[in-house]
Amino acid sequence: MKYMLMMNTPGGGPYQIARWPQQDIQAHIAFMKDFARALGESGELVAAEGLAGPDQAKRVRAGGDGKPITDGVFPEAKEFLAGYWIVDVDRPERAYEIAARASAAPGPGGKPLNLAIEVREVMSAPPRDLLE
Amino acid sequence: MTAREPRTAGLIEGLLRELAPQVLGAVIRRSGDFAASEDAVQQALIAAAERWPGDGVPDDPRAWLIRVASRRSIDQVRAETARRRREELVVSLVPAEDQLAMAAGEDEGTGGDDALVLLLMCCHPALSPASAIALTLRAVGGLTTAEIARAFLVPEATMAQRISRAKQSIKGSGVPFELPAAEQWGERLAAVLHVLYLMFNEGYTSSGPELTRVDLSGEALRLVRMLRRLVPDDGEVMGLLALMLLTDARRAARTGPAGELVPLDEQDRGRWDRAAIAEGVALVTAALSRGSVGAYQLQAAIAAVHDEAPSADATDWPQILALYGLLLQMSDNPMVALNHAIATAMVRGPAAGLERLDALAHDARLAEHHRLDAVRGHLLERAGDRAAAQQHYRRAADRTTSAPERNYLLMKAARLDEPG
């Protein structure tokens, strides 16, 4: 079963990591690299991406002519998606374990950030015949 | 083996995949190292797939593959051969790799046993089902890591790690390359059947672009057919093969033109595969007449009753109810209990089925399961309670993790808004 693990970061401007001391930024990046490598080695990693900061983000809607209408960023938004992992695991509890490890990524002073990670199951396809 | 000089790539691929477990078995017997031998055989298979279409199939393709695979793992193999040479007092100036190739002819006839030992090893209970399926597809099925990765929609590197870890687990657990002792036979064979059953179901439940993917259900069918040749007298092996044939027979009818799910009672039975049904029915009949009834045989028998019914209305539900009753005594599977409730409704009416569902709602494994709501929706619809049926269809749709099933349930709910 596949799960998407979404890491949200508080809104209100650029990623807060940008304002951390250099050594804390390095520790955070090193943690994320190790984390992805470990998921690859355990044979569970399907995909992982970090997203560019919210100040680059656009909101897009189709106009009456089908052409895109873009809006700027929303500094009032409480939180933003910072990145995600898709993992393929044997049971949901394993996805939660992985999410907890991501949540404990180091922040300022090396203390765990404990960010909330949203865990969502990826849809699969048809089950056996219904009403058999 | 005599080469029949197959010319097309498809025939060569079929030959290679059939030979894969025999070659691997022979190489493991010589090197004693499952993981290294498996890598080496994979490389030999790739080399053959590249060269044979142009160069022609060698006279003895099995010996060719063994020779090439052995060359690839020669470092590991050489030490072992040296030991054997000392022990057996075979004094020879023939290089180790040629000895290996010559030895390939020694054990004609053990190819089948090797394939069985391999299958038992790859489906060892020490492995998680996902790992066992992947390893079986590669080591016994002769598929490449890239093909297996595509089948599961994961990156090739991830699948390579999964297979590599599975091989290390087997190495770590110290399973010898031999048939299990008699007292373990039942448990180990059951593990193989379970892995092949899950592989078959995976073919039904994974999504993605169909054309580029290995057909996992077909692969499971091929492997269980092989198992049946190796273990011809086991009722549950026959039962599982029958179950797969009888389920797969409906494949063309179970999805509509837009890929939507078509439930059994709405399927166009003219599109069912009659040859597969005939083979499955004959198998399950033969298996059941042997006396020791197992869960796969019972599931196959249920599938056979459906497949033999000329229409949904003509289905022999009393017989299906009786078979689910037997299955329920044999296993504590909540899905079996749900199906038993459906059969109860079909025989004794929706109220009796709903009563069974009320009892099942106390089962913690089912209480929050979307299938309980889906079945309740169906039975309420049959009972004429459209509003309640709609509510349960929607609740089920909210919670299923299968996209086609969600769409099906939403359509069922939406249809109840139309004047019926």
Side-chain angles (χ1 to χ4, degrees):
Chain A
M1 39 184 60
K2 292 185 181 134
Y3 287 87
M4 183 182 247
L5 280 44
M6 288 174 280
M7 192 169 86
N8 289 304
T9 182
Y15 286 158
Q16 296 184 341
I17 188 172
R19 281 167 271 158
W20 296 355
Q22 188 190 338
Q23 120 191 25
D24 291 342
I25 297 176
Q26 274 170 348
H28 184 83
I29 291 170
F31 173 92
M32 287 302 179
K33 279 190 175 160
D34 276 355
F35 182 67
R37 191 176 41 79
L39 284 178
E41 283 172 1
S42 65
E44 294 171 313
L45 183 68
V46 178
E49 300 291 352
L51 304 182
D55 35 4
Q56 315 264 334
K58 291 273 182 273
R59 288 202 165 211
V60 181
R61 273 178 235 278
D65 55 359
K67 296 232 170 73
I69 299 173
T70 59
D71 246 334
V73 289
F74 293 83
E76 73 276 13
K78 273 220 304 256
E79 52 183 26
F80 283 97
L81 184 64
Y84 65 85
W85 299 267
I86 297 178
V87 295
D88 187 6
V89 293
D90 288 330
R91 57 207 158 82
E93 291 75 18
R94 175 63 189 152
Y96 307 153
E97 274 170 37
I98 295 170
R101 250 198 292 147
S103 169
K111 277 172 48 184
L113 283 170
N114 293 333
L115 288 172
I117 309 284
E118 186 174 339
V119 179
R120 304 276 299 272
E121 187 167 353
V122 176
M123 282 236 163
S124 61
R128 298 280 299 281
D129 276 330
L130 302 171
L131 302 183
E132 187 163 330
Chain B
M1 171 173 285
T2 54
R4 293 202 191 89
E5 298 289 330
R7 301 247 178 258
T8 69
L11 284 172
I12 288 176
E13 196 197 329
L15 175 65
L16 287 175
R17 306 232 357 243
E18 192 186 315
L19 288 173
Q22 300 175 28
V23 170
L24 178 51
V27 177
I28 295 172
R29 280 185 190 285
R30 284 161 187 77
S31 78
D33 185 332
F34 172 67
S37 303
E38 208 279 318
D39 282 331
V41 169
Q42 179 86 186
Q43 291 172 36
L45 292 171
I46 290 169
E50 282 167 2
R51 287 170 53 180
W52 291 4
D55 296 359
V57 176
D59 289 338
D60 188 343
R62 182 168 175 265
W64 189 98
L65 288 165
I66 292 172
R67 190 169 63 245
V68 172
S70 302
R71 200 180 290 144
R72 308 265 167 164
S73 65
I74 199 69
D75 288 342
Q76 288 102 320
V77 170
R78 197 167 268 150
E80 175 68 10
T81 320
R83 184 186 64 77
R84 284 163 60 111
R85 234 186 275 163
R86 279 195 305 279
E87 284 174 6
E88 295 166 13
L89 300 174
V90 177
V91 179
S92 172
L93 296 173
V94 180
E97 65 183 67
D98 290 344
Q99 279 203 355
L100 286 163
M102 290 190 291
E106 282 172 9
D107 54 2
E108 284 297 339
T110 68
D113 283 350
D114 281 352
L116 181 57
V117 174
L118 266 180
L119 197 53
L120 287 156
M121 204 168 192
C122 294
C123 300
H124 195 274
L127 298 176
S128 74
S131 302
I133 290 173
L135 187 58
T136 301
L137 286 169
R138 198 172 119 142
V140 191
L143 292 175
T144 64
T145 303
E147 287 170 320
I148 302 165
R150 276 203 300 279
F152 287 90
L153 303 171
V154 301
E156 187 176 345
T158 295
M159 189 50 77
Q161 284 295 339
R162 200 178 288 177
I163 290 169
S164 160
R165 285 170 70 93
K167 288 197 287 192
Q168 291 310 315
S169 298
I170 284 181
K171 200 172 179 177
S173 67
V175 193
F177 190 74
E178 59 193 29
L179 289 173
E183 66 269 20
Q184 289 174 351
W185 173 252
E187 181 201 343
R188 295 287 301 279
L189 183 64
V192 171
L193 294 177
H194 185 60
V195 167
L196 295 178
Y197 175 75
L198 293 177
M199 187 190 294
F200 181 83
N201 284 345
E202 183 69 31
Y204 272 79
T205 55
S206 45
S207 57
E210 303 293 331
L211 291 176
T212 56
R213 292 179 58 222
V214 167
D215 163 19
L216 288 174
S217 301
E219 215 38 53
L221 248 170
R222 190 177 80 87
L223 290 169
V224 80
R225 265 191 203 287
M226 183 189 93
L227 181 60
R228 156 107 168 107
R229 283 197 300 274
L230 301 172
V231 189
D233 295 323
D234 187 278
E236 280 293 81
V237 174
M238 293 165 82
L240 181 59
L241 178 54
L243 174 61
M244 287 185 186
L245 285 164
L246 292 164
T247 308
D248 204 51
R250 304 179 209 136
R251 183 198 291 239
R254 69 190 294 277
T255 44
E260 75 274 20
L261 215 53
V262 182
L264 191 54
D265 60 342
E266 292 173 24
Q267 289 176 13
D268 173 2
R269 293 173 186 231
R271 300 180 67 200
W272 288 0
D273 180 345
R274 290 292 144 196
I277 291 172
E279 190 186 354
V281 168
L283 261 171
V284 70
T285 308
L288 287 169
S289 69
R290 302 164 65 88
S292 67
V293 174
Y296 293 118
Q297 293 165 67
L298 286 173
Q299 291 181 72
I302 291 164
V305 176
H306 283 299
D307 287 4
E308 288 187 302
S311 69
D313 289 340
T315 305
D316 185 352
W317 282 103
Q319 199 184 343
I320 290 175
L321 179 60
L323 289 165
Y324 272 123
L326 287 174
L327 200 51
L328 211 49
Q329 288 169 22
M330 207 170 278
S331 83
D332 178 33
N333 183 327
M335 292 302 138
V336 170
L338 264 187
N339 285 331
H340 183 261
I342 295 171
T344 303
M346 299 307 283
V347 175
R348 302 203 191 112
L354 285 163
E355 218 168 277
R356 296 268 328 160
L357 289 187
D358 288 340
L360 291 176
H362 301 298
D363 185 329
R365 294 168 302 176
L366 271 183
E368 287 303 307
H369 200 286
H370 75 272
R371 274 289 171 91
L372 182 62
D373 275 307
V375 171
R376 200 183 286 279
H378 278 289
L379 299 193
L380 285 166
E381 188 181 351
R382 282 190 167 267
D385 188 345
R386 295 164 64 93
Q390 191 177 50
Q391 195 189 337
H392 284 284
Y393 282 139
R394 288 193 172 135
R395 264 172 60 94
D398 284 345
R399 274 180 291 152
T400 177
T401 58
S402 156
E405 189 177 21
R406 179 190 59 189
N407 298 345
Y408 164 79
L409 290 164
L410 289 175
M411 290 300 290
K412 289 293 271 188
R415 242 177 258 165
L416 289 175
D417 274 336
E418 293 159 16

